[in-house]
Amino acid sequence: MKGARMKVMLIQPPMFHLKVQLSPNLGLAYIAAVLERDGFDVQVLDAAAENLDFDGVIERIRAFSPAVIGAGGQTPVSVRSMTIFRRAKKEIGQDIVTVAGGPHFSFTDRESLAECAQLDVVVRGEGEETMSHLCKSIATGQPLDDVSGITWRNRQGEAVRNPDRPPIANIDSIPFPAWHLFPVDKYHWVGNRLLATSSSRGCPYRCPYCITWKMHRGVRHRDPAKIVEEMVWAKRNFGHDTFFFQDDVSFLAREQLEGFLDELEQCGEKLYWYYEAREDNFLSFRDLWERMKRNGLFKIVLG
């Protein structure tokens, strides 16, 4: 299939989730926004939020008839993504291009291609620019040799690992998440509707058990004004006033946190939020705690 309106479906596989919280996949939301901006016909399927099983996922893929399907996730979810790829190729058509991304596939690219014969391409690391470049190449029939950041299967069935793609230098250049493609009313924390956002990518610490500093090389902070602009936009367009910051270590820099609080106080909306932090970092902001609470902070996740 060629043309600027090539269909792409991004899939959150069926997965177990606690009733206390159901969170959206912010990574897919950013990728979907970039693909829509670049002219593709995008559909997002959150099977977890919609309580779909694999049969339901296959029915939805068949109904949309995409040229490309993308799924991924962390290790516990990766096998479910591969189940979708296998069934889509077998039950719908071999021409569907299957793309995997996320932490598990980024670090097991060759192994995943060997394990799943129905997987065509692995997107390594940050997915927005790579997925757009990949879909443009597929839509125009161009070879994949020049698409940085992917590992793919050539016509001979061999795994080809293209060079890494540099991290996105200005993460504020990424469009706001494509929440209009998601079942936003289903996301919640203990019954309170919520959406996801982010304050940064990367981490200056190199904890051996963590993948954040490997997935997102270098530390890049968002402009506090842009963060609050996105939160206000989401509230006014989707009715959500509660957010969680999905980056593993948010607001490491005092300057960014103080700027964020300044923007919250000036935005004219009441917003609620929580984030993850290191204990030592959070304790260093003790003088800001009262102000943080006053401006909507209701929960901290420490680790």
Side-chain angles (χ1 to χ4, degrees), residues 33-34 36 55 67 71 85 88 91 118 131 179 201 238 291 297:
V34 169
E36 278 201 325
D55 289 340
F85 299 148
E91 300 174 34
Q118 293 76 25
M131 192 66 177
W179 293 131
R201 286 189 179 178
F238 303 101
R291 188 181 176 203
L297 177 65

Coordinates of all heavy atoms in Angstrom, one line a residue, residues 33-34 36 55 67 71 85 88 91 118 131 179 201 238 291 297:
A33 N 0.6 10.7 17.6 CA 0.5 12.2 17.2 C 1.5 12.5 16.1 O 1.1 13.3 15.2 CB 0.8 13.0 18.5
V34 N 2.7 12.0 16.2 CA 3.7 12.3 15.1 C 3.2 11.7 13.8 O 3.3 12.3 12.7 CB 5.0 11.7 15.6 CG1 6.0 11.7 14.4 CG2 5.6 12.5 16.7
E36 N 0.2 11.0 12.8 CA -1.0 11.8 12.2 C -0.4 13.1 11.7 O -0.9 13.6 10.6 CB -2.0 12.1 13.3 CG -3.0 11.0 13.6 CD -4.2 11.5 14.3 OE1 -4.1 12.4 15.1 OE2 -5.3 11.0 14.0
D55 N -8.8 -12.6 20.1 CA -9.8 -12.6 19.1 C -10.3 -11.3 18.7 O -10.5 -10.9 17.6 CB -10.9 -13.6 19.4 CG -10.5 -15.0 19.5 OD1 -9.5 -15.4 18.9 OD2 -11.2 -15.8 20.1
A67 N -1.8 -1.2 6.8 CA -0.6 -1.7 6.2 C 0.4 -2.1 7.2 O 1.3 -3.0 7.0 CB -0.1 -0.7 5.2
A71 N 3.2 -2.9 18.0 CA 3.0 -3.2 19.4 C 4.3 -3.4 20.1 O 5.4 -3.4 19.4 CB 2.1 -4.5 19.5
F85 N 1.3 -10.5 16.4 CA 2.0 -10.5 15.1 C 1.8 -11.9 14.4 O 1.5 -11.9 13.2 CB 3.5 -10.3 15.3 CG 3.8 -8.9 15.9 CD1 4.9 -8.8 16.7 CD2 3.1 -7.8 15.7 CE1 5.3 -7.6 17.3 CE2 3.4 -6.6 16.2 CZ 4.5 -6.5 17.0
A88 N -1.9 -12.1 13.3 CA -2.2 -11.2 12.2 C -1.7 -11.7 10.8 O -2.4 -11.7 9.8 CB -1.7 -9.8 12.5
E91 N -3.8 -15.0 10.0 CA -5.3 -15.0 9.9 C -5.8 -13.8 9.0 O -6.9 -13.8 8.5 CB -5.9 -14.9 11.3 CG -5.6 -16.1 12.2 CD -6.2 -15.9 13.6 OE1 -7.3 -15.3 13.7 OE2 -5.5 -16.4 14.5
Q118 N 7.2 -13.9 12.5 CA 6.2 -13.0 11.9 C 6.5 -11.6 12.3 O 5.7 -10.7 12.0 CB 4.8 -13.4 12.4 CG 4.3 -14.8 11.9 CD 5.0 -16.0 12.6 OE1 5.4 -15.9 13.7 NE2 5.0 -17.1 11.9
M131 N 9.7 5.7 13.9 CA 8.4 5.1 13.4 C 7.9 6.0 12.2 O 7.5 5.4 11.2 CB 7.4 5.1 14.5 CG 6.2 4.3 14.1 SD 6.5 2.5 13.9 CE 4.9 1.9 13.6
W179 N -4.7 11.9 22.3 CA -5.7 11.3 23.2 C -7.0 11.1 22.5 O -7.8 10.3 23.0 CB -5.9 12.2 24.4 CG -4.7 12.3 25.3 CD1 -4.1 13.4 25.8 CD2 -3.9 11.2 25.8 NE1 -3.0 13.1 26.6 CE2 -2.8 11.7 26.6 CE3 -3.9 9.8 25.7 CZ2 -1.9 10.9 27.3 CZ3 -2.9 9.0 26.3 CH2 -2.0 9.6 27.1
R201 N 13.1 13.2 29.7 CA 13.5 11.9 29.2 C 15.0 11.7 29.6 O 15.8 12.6 29.6 CB 13.4 11.8 27.7 CG 12.0 11.6 27.2 CD 11.9 11.3 25.7 NE 10.5 11.1 25.3 CZ 10.1 10.9 24.1 NH1 11.0 10.7 23.1 NH2 8.8 10.7 23.8
F238 N -10.5 17.1 26.9 CA -10.9 15.8 27.3 C -11.5 15.6 28.7 O -11.8 14.5 29.1 CB -9.7 14.8 27.1 CG -9.1 14.8 25.7 CD1 -8.0 15.6 25.4 CD2 -9.7 14.2 24.7 CE1 -7.4 15.6 24.2 CE2 -9.2 14.2 23.4 CZ -8.1 14.9 23.1
R291 N 4.1 24.2 48.9 CA 3.7 24.8 47.6 C 3.2 23.8 46.6 O 2.3 24.0 45.9 CB 4.8 25.7 47.1 CG 4.4 26.5 45.9 CD 5.6 27.3 45.4 NE 5.3 28.1 44.2 CZ 6.2 28.5 43.4 NH1 7.5 28.3 43.6 NH2 5.9 29.1 42.3
L297 N -0.3 18.6 43.9 CA 0.4 17.3 44.2 C -0.4 16.5 45.2 O -0.6 17.0 46.3 CB 1.8 17.6 44.7 CG 2.6 16.3 45.0 CD1 2.9 15.5 43.8 CD2 3.9 16.7 45.7

